[in-house]
Amino acid sequence: MVGRLGLPEPRALPGALALTLVLAALVGSLAAWAGWQTAEPLPSDEQAVAAAARAVPDQAGYELRRRDALFVYDYAGDGGVERAVRAVVGDDDYVPGYVEVTLPDRGNGPAGGWGRLAANFRADGWTVDRLPYSDDLVATRDDQVATVTSEVRYDDAGEAQGRSHDDLVIRVHRTEPASVPWLTAAGALLGAVVGWLLAGWGYRRMRSRGPAARKAALLSRAGLLLLLPVTLVVLIEMVRVPLLSGVQLPQPAWDPYMLVFLRVPALLGAVALLAAAALLAGPDRAAARVSVR
């Protein structure tokens, strides 16, 4: 029955299932990325500063920083070497783009405390909650989600004298477009179907090859083993994140591919699978030599 459907025979099912999961995670992540391209732009600098002024009316000054990319490595060392290393190795500081307003030296928070700040946000039309496992505030309004944190900062003089400043940091992100979960699910399903059919194609090609088939089999097994950890994390997150309650920061489906410790095995696994596919798709040199003789 399995063979008549053009799919792997029973003994090839473990590899076929592994490739099905790998393609489901990958295509689902690509579909999620496509959905994120419809996200609204971040607020302008003026809009962000005005929102901070309504939340903290007694501010005496501010610092502004923005990263307009949909998602970005939020890392200070952004030179050519550091960027190249992160592209290969990954990093654990992959965050949604933001515009950030920092109110320096605010003590432990705004005048009137965090309750007053939350009330100011609500008066400005935001829905306010607490971030999980944190006292930080998170607020949503329309297509924006904002976090409010108190961060310790040492300046040169403070570091020398053991004194620090507590800055109030308001960071505004985009919210996830409504189409993203649906596109992610559709992409994962499509990837699973493609992965299953590719496994069947690869198995049939291996049965008709000589030395190339053995090399392709070794490469495909190694590639799948290297890709399985990140694949399982991606699929678990695809299911877990939509089930979370309360206000959450945006988390892209492809986030695990960007993280250190997962990115390098994923890249090596992808190279191994592509090399196996190239061997199977190329001409059968052994058969060609036999026919010439």
Side-chain angles (χ1 to χ4, degrees):
M1 177 64 177
V2 175
R4 286 199 300 271
L5 291 175
L7 302 177
E9 294 182 359
R11 63 179 179 176
L13 285 181
L17 289 174
L19 187 59
T20 297
L21 294 178
V22 166
L23 266 293
L26 180 59
V27 179
S29 295
L30 291 173
W33 177 86
W36 267 100
Q37 304 311 303
T38 65
E40 296 294 328
L42 290 169
S44 67
D45 294 351
E46 293 77 13
Q47 291 171 327
V49 172
R54 291 190 293 271
V56 189
D58 58 332
Q59 61 177 294
Y62 65 88
E63 299 173 6
L64 189 70
R65 189 163 69 111
R66 65 184 303 131
R67 304 295 295 271
D68 282 294
L70 287 173
F71 294 89
V72 64
Y73 286 117
D74 194 24
Y75 185 71
D78 206 21
V81 175
E82 293 90 344
R83 189 176 302 173
V85 170
R86 288 200 307 277
V88 175
V89 177
D91 204 333
D92 59 357
D93 200 15
Y94 189 67
V95 299
Y98 61 84
V99 55
E100 178 183 278
V101 180
T102 300
L103 309 178
D105 200 12
R106 301 296 305 182
N108 292 321
W114 290 97
R116 174 72 176 277
L117 177 64
N120 289 344
F121 266 100
R122 292 190 181 98
D124 197 27
W126 296 79
T127 299
V128 182
D129 202 345
R130 293 277 187 178
L131 281 173
Y133 313 109
S134 170
D135 290 331
D136 299 338
L137 294 181
V138 59
T140 58
R141 185 180 66 181
D142 300 329
D143 52 10
Q144 298 172 5
V145 55
T147 59
V148 186
T149 62
S150 182
E151 295 185 357
V152 176
R153 177 176 65 168
Y154 287 89
D155 56 23
D156 293 338
E159 187 172 3
Q161 300 174 26
R163 294 200 308 268
S164 66
H165 305 281
D166 289 332
D167 296 341
L168 190 68
V169 180
I170 301 174
R171 181 178 281 194
V172 182
H173 308 272
R174 305 171 180 87
T175 55
E176 181 181 86
S179 62
V180 169
W182 301 103
L183 287 172
T184 303
L189 179 60
L190 175 62
V193 172
V194 172
W196 183 259
L197 295 177
L198 278 177
W201 169 84
Y203 183 70
R204 292 191 300 275
R205 298 284 288 188
M206 285 181 187
R207 293 182 63 184
S208 65
R209 300 294 171 112
R214 289 191 291 272
K215 293 178 183 177
L218 289 173
L219 284 169
S220 61
R221 291 188 188 112
L224 291 173
L225 284 174
L226 287 167
L227 277 162
L228 270 181
V230 70
T231 294
L232 294 177
V233 174
V234 169
L235 293 175
I236 290 171
E237 290 299 290
M238 282 183 181
V239 175
R240 184 187 71 88
V241 171
L243 297 178
L244 294 175
S245 60
V247 179
Q248 304 291 329
L249 287 180
Q251 181 176 333
W254 64 91
D255 181 73
Y257 292 113
M258 313 303 292
L259 301 181
V260 67
F261 301 126
L262 290 176
R263 187 172 179 85
V264 171
L267 289 175
L268 292 175
V271 170
L273 285 183
L274 289 173
L279 284 173
L280 294 175
D284 190 347
R285 293 188 177 87
R289 285 196 297 270
V290 171
S291 64
V292 169
R293 291 175 185 173

